[in-house]
Amino acid sequence: MAPKFDSAEAIVLNFVNEQNRPLNSQNVADCLQKFNLKKTAVQKALDALADSGKVSFKEYGKQKIYLARQDQFKIPNSEGLTQMKESNATLQKNLHKQKKAISQVEEEIQTLQSNLTLEQMREKEARLRKEVKELEDKLEILRGGVTLVKPEDRKAIEHIYSEKLSQWRRRKRMFKDLWDTINENSPKDLKEFKEELGIEYDEDVGVNLQSFTNMLPQTRKRPRGRL
């Protein structure tokens, strides 16, 4: 619990001694707002403390700088400083060990949090068992020689697919004839003209008509050389 003070001077004096660094009245007032002390009250307390010799001060033009009296602090000798340095080194070493231990614990916590809970493992097991059962049922149907697609449905789909490929060939031929006519006497560079119009060949977008043709059953493929 923070100590209680019965006057502004006591509050200001305690703060100046705790800080033990050069301060002006604005510094002190900013830090003591929690005590509802205005700058004028802080300035008055600092002047009173300086007049009574409880704090030191120096004037720099119109500004006063206040500092805790140094004779009230116990200044260690060289032996004491050496002991403090050794103690600090030991504390730093212990701090490093503690940070390392905390880091290891945090890693373990993250690992544990990433693992599934027992309930989650049970749910996942049930889901995987269901998927395996569905795949086994499908495999059993295939092993039994059951036809999954009716012959008439297959034939209808192949017919539609073949018609689409035929339309593709006709459109390629129509475009080629028209494009060759346009560029026959054109002074423009063919590649630049094509880019200017935003025209793309099948090859430009990674599409090949022959690869789609090869997907047809052998008996329905069109002979090479025919468009």
Side-chain angles (χ1 to χ4, degrees):
M1 181 180 294
K4 295 183 179 180
F5 304 100
D6 55 3
S7 68
E9 288 186 22
I11 295 172
V12 172
L13 178 61
N14 180 72
F15 176 77
V16 173
N17 287 335
E18 282 184 345
Q19 295 297 306
N20 193 23
R21 60 185 177 87
L23 299 164
N24 59 32
S25 58
Q26 188 63 56
N27 298 145
V28 179
D30 290 342
C31 295
L32 297 181
Q33 290 181 2
K34 60 183 178 180
F35 292 100
N36 295 320
L37 292 178
K38 304 296 183 181
K39 184 179 178 181
T40 52
V42 170
Q43 184 66 66
K44 183 178 179 181
L46 286 169
D47 290 338
L49 292 169
D51 291 341
S52 63
K54 293 181 180 179
V55 298
S56 303
F57 77 94
K58 287 186 178 181
E59 294 189 48
Y60 295 91
K62 295 182 179 181
Q63 188 176 43
K64 289 183 179 181
I65 301 299
Y66 302 88
L67 180 67
R69 289 189 56 161
Q70 299 302 297
D71 55 6
Q72 65 179 310
F73 301 113
K74 183 179 179 180
I75 301 176
N77 53 27
S78 58
E79 183 180 351
L81 287 173
T82 301
Q83 292 178 349
M84 292 173 65
K85 288 180 180 179
E86 292 175 352
S87 177
N88 182 63
T90 301
L91 291 172
Q92 289 293 336
K93 187 176 180 180
N94 291 336
L95 177 62
H96 177 71
K97 290 181 179 180
Q98 293 297 324
K99 286 183 176 180
K100 187 176 180 180
I102 291 172
S103 178
Q104 291 175 344
V105 172
E106 288 177 343
E107 289 179 2
E108 291 178 3
I109 291 174
Q110 290 178 353
T111 301
L112 292 173
Q113 289 177 339
S114 63
N115 293 334
L116 296 177
T117 64
L118 181 59
E119 184 64 27
Q120 289 173 330
M121 286 190 287
R122 287 174 176 170
E123 291 177 357
K124 186 173 183 179
E125 180 189 15
R127 185 172 65 254
L128 291 175
R129 286 183 180 277
K130 182 180 179 182
E131 292 176 1
V132 170
K133 182 65 170 56
E134 292 173 351
L135 292 174
E136 287 178 343
D137 292 343
K138 290 182 179 179
L139 181 60
E140 189 65 28
I141 293 173
L142 293 174
R143 284 173 176 171
V146 176
T147 303
L148 299 180
V149 180
K150 296 179 180 179
E152 55 269 27
D153 292 339
R154 181 184 181 91
K155 185 176 181 180
I157 293 172
E158 290 176 354
H159 177 73
I160 294 173
Y161 186 73
S162 179
E163 285 297 318
K164 298 299 182 184
L165 291 178
S166 297
Q167 292 179 21
W168 188 350
R169 292 189 188 91
R170 286 196 296 270
R171 291 175 184 272
K172 280 177 67 72
R173 185 176 62 249
M174 291 168 60
F175 170 77
K176 185 176 183 304
D177 293 343
L178 180 61
W179 184 247
D180 290 344
T181 301
I182 292 174
N183 289 283
E184 185 175 359
N185 298 313
S186 175
K188 290 189 175 183
D189 179 78
L190 182 62
K191 183 178 180 181
E192 292 180 357
F193 189 35
K194 181 167 72 78
E195 291 178 354
E196 181 182 341
L197 297 177
I199 295 174
E200 293 179 327
Y201 295 160
D202 291 347
E203 295 76 12
D204 295 335
V205 292
V207 176
N208 184 275
L209 175 59
Q210 187 59 44
S211 63
F212 285 89
T213 303
N214 292 338
M215 294 173 66
L216 280 171
Q218 194 69 30
T219 56
R220 296 191 62 87
K221 290 182 182 178
R222 296 173 64 92
R224 288 181 178 271
R226 291 183 60 187
L227 293 175

